Amino acid sequence: MSHSHPRESGRLTRRVATMAVAAAIGGFLFGFDTAVINGAVNALESNFGLDSIGLGTIVAVTLLGATLGSFSAGWLADRIGRPRTMAVAGAVFLVAAIGCGLAQGLWDLAIWRLLTGYGVGFATVIGPLYISEIAPASVRGRLASLQQMAIVLGIFAALLSDSSIALALEGADAQTFLGLPAWRWMFIAGIVPALIYLVIALAVPESPRFLVARGRSAEARDVLQRLQDITDEEAATLTDRMAATLRTDRSARFQDLLDRRRVLLPIVWVGIGLAALQALVGVDVIFYYSTSLWQSVGFDESAAFALSVLSSFVNVVATVVAIVLIDRVGRRRLLLAGSAGMFVSLVTVAVGFSTATITADGEPALSGVWGPVTLVGANVFVVAFAVSWGPAVWVLLGEMFPNRIRGVALSACAAANWLAGVLLNFSFPSLRDLSLAGSYAVYAFMALLSWLLVFFFVSETKGRSLEDMREDAMPVTSPLK
């Protein structure tokens, strides 16, 4: 397969950057609404009498909602357009925030958290899809990475919001504002970013590629000219290329992803593999022992908590590094380097935990040099993930599919990502009880698989027009390219 592709003439303008930031607010809501429950956990347990199963249900049902939402978002975006789908997501977040804040028991809270998850699933798909379709090829990676940055900032904002509300109302159960306790206001605070997203969704222009697919090429040319500051002739050339790769008679359907011989098209298998492995390398569970790791090497509890907060700041910084590198280094090299870093660091953590003794309270105690070595390994893993697989997978998924199936293919991959997340979170307690070291060895194996997948089956998309993406574009002809 040739790697010489024509470059798009569009350039990074203030309008393109503004629209990309606007679309990424869905990612902020994704992070905010999944993390906001953290500050309300204890109050929920005492007010609703939740046991560990009830609390687990509230968490799991959000993941289920995200799977359903991500699976239907691409189909809806191909039917009603990208901004309208953003507006639907904003409305879902708005209603769910109010519903969670006013919930009276386990089951109605579960329903509202399911709806929250549905909105999260929409945000997983529509942000990368829209940004990849409005951005010039030369800066598409940087702009698409804003989605991951927004997710990280949303998580940080949720934790900040929870602690601020608890502080202002003197505890999560204080009845001091309009008769509602602080923990309810933690959920209701989600109204603010949801309203902002909803208003912005009504103001952003439609994706040029969606307009071309609907036979509205003149509107598509106008959007391209305004966003990318290009001439009418350049815009016409781009829309002509889009038209050549799009079917204008109907929206893409799941059946379009099928191949009689392989069930799914090879490129869709690759996308699903990338999405699933992003979850299966274990980034969620590495945090389970972050506080105990700090304590095992001599820090007290308050210092351990502060250092865990520092880790989330490091996460933000690493994402900034990814944004700087992704259009210079390329998606493929970044993913390969990240996989190698994750593999080495997870092997280190697995070996470290294999030397641990378990204390009376069930926490691992690391002695000698293995304490700091395991600690460093865990943090190197977080950085390696945040600078590569965190943002780069969503960038790649937003741009690697042909125009006619991009929305529905991205939906299938996002659903695979959420299902893998469910599998990870449900399997970890059992794996941990069998062998803590063994569980991290499993994640190290997944990191090795992630390197092999990219090395043999992923070709570079840096600087290439979305119109160059074809169903036969994966696997690469030479893994060394």
Side-chain angles (χ1 to χ4, degrees), residues 158-246:
L159 299 175
L160 194 63
S161 169
D162 283 358
S163 59
S164 300
I165 290 169
L167 187 66
L169 300 185
E170 298 176 353
D173 261 337
Q175 302 263 356
T176 55
F177 191 66
L178 301 181
L180 294 176
W183 70 266
R184 292 190 181 275
W185 288 108
M186 290 174 186
F187 286 116
I188 294 170
I191 289 174
V192 177
L195 273 174
I196 292 170
Y197 189 47
L198 191 53
V199 170
I200 284 173
L202 300 174
V204 299
E206 184 54 82
S207 154
R209 287 168 177 84
F210 176 82
L211 292 171
V212 170
R214 285 289 174 274
R216 294 153 62 185
S217 293
E219 289 176 63
R221 285 197 298 273
D222 183 54
V223 170
L224 281 168
Q225 279 183 274
R226 282 188 290 116
L227 286 181
Q228 297 188 12
D229 192 23
I230 57 178
T231 66
D232 185 54
E233 188 180 348
E234 288 172 324
T237 301
L238 274 174
T239 52
D240 287 346
R241 293 191 67 209
M242 290 174 196
T245 61
L246 287 162

Side-chain angles (χ1 to χ4, degrees), residues 176-325:
T176 55
F177 191 66
L178 301 181
L180 294 176
W183 70 266
R184 292 190 181 275
W185 288 108
M186 290 174 186
F187 286 116
I188 294 170
I191 289 174
V192 177
L195 273 174
I196 292 170
Y197 189 47
L198 191 53
V199 170
I200 284 173
L202 300 174
V204 299
E206 184 54 82
S207 154
R209 287 168 177 84
F210 176 82
L211 292 171
V212 170
R214 285 289 174 274
R216 294 153 62 185
S217 293
E219 289 176 63
R221 285 197 298 273
D222 183 54
V223 170
L224 281 168
Q225 279 183 274
R226 282 188 290 116
L227 286 181
Q228 297 188 12
D229 192 23
I230 57 178
T231 66
D232 185 54
E233 188 180 348
E234 288 172 324
T237 301
L238 274 174
T239 52
D240 287 346
R241 293 191 67 209
M242 290 174 196
T245 61
L246 287 162
R247 293 179 177 178
T248 56
D249 55 339
R250 65 169 176 81
S251 301
R253 297 174 299 187
F254 182 75
Q255 289 94 311
D256 294 322
L257 305 183
L258 299 181
D259 178 311
R260 284 179 184 174
R261 289 175 295 112
R262 294 184 180 85
V263 183
L264 288 171
L265 294 166
I267 194 170
V268 179
W269 280 120
V270 173
I272 285 173
L274 286 167
L277 284 167
Q278 190 204 42
L280 294 176
V281 292
V283 71
D284 285 352
V285 303
I286 198 78
F287 289 112
Y288 281 27
Y289 280 92
S290 62
T291 304
S292 62
L293 268 172
W294 290 114
Q295 288 174 307
S296 72
V297 291
F299 292 98
D300 62 28
E301 190 174 2
S302 60
F305 178 76
L307 287 164
S308 292
V309 172
L310 180 65
S311 290
S312 81
F313 177 71
V314 169
N315 212 357
V316 174
V317 174
T319 307
V320 173
V321 173
I323 291 171
V324 171
L325 291 178

Side-chain angles (χ1 to χ4, degrees), residues 433-448:
D433 291 345
L434 281 171
S435 167
L436 185 57
S439 64
Y440 285 103
V442 169
Y443 308 138
F445 178 69
M446 293 298 170
L448 176 61

Side-chain angles (χ1 to χ4, degrees), residues 44 48 58 100 103 105-114 187:
L44 284 172
F48 293 164
I58 298 299
C100 288
L106 169 63
W107 292 111
D108 59 331
L109 179 61
I111 289 167
W112 294 118
R113 289 300 287 174
L114 178 72
F187 286 116

Side-chain angles (χ1 to χ4, degrees), residues 342-394:
M342 291 190 299
F343 175 72
V344 172
S345 54
L346 284 167
V347 167
T348 303
V349 173
V351 173
F353 276 133
S354 73
T355 70
T357 54
I358 305 300
T359 61
D361 59 1
E363 298 290 348
L366 297 160
S367 57
V369 72
W370 279 109
V373 167
T374 306
L375 188 58
V376 169
N379 283 279
V380 168
F381 168 76
V382 171
V383 172
F385 179 88
V387 85
S388 62
W389 277 74
V393 165
W394 293 114

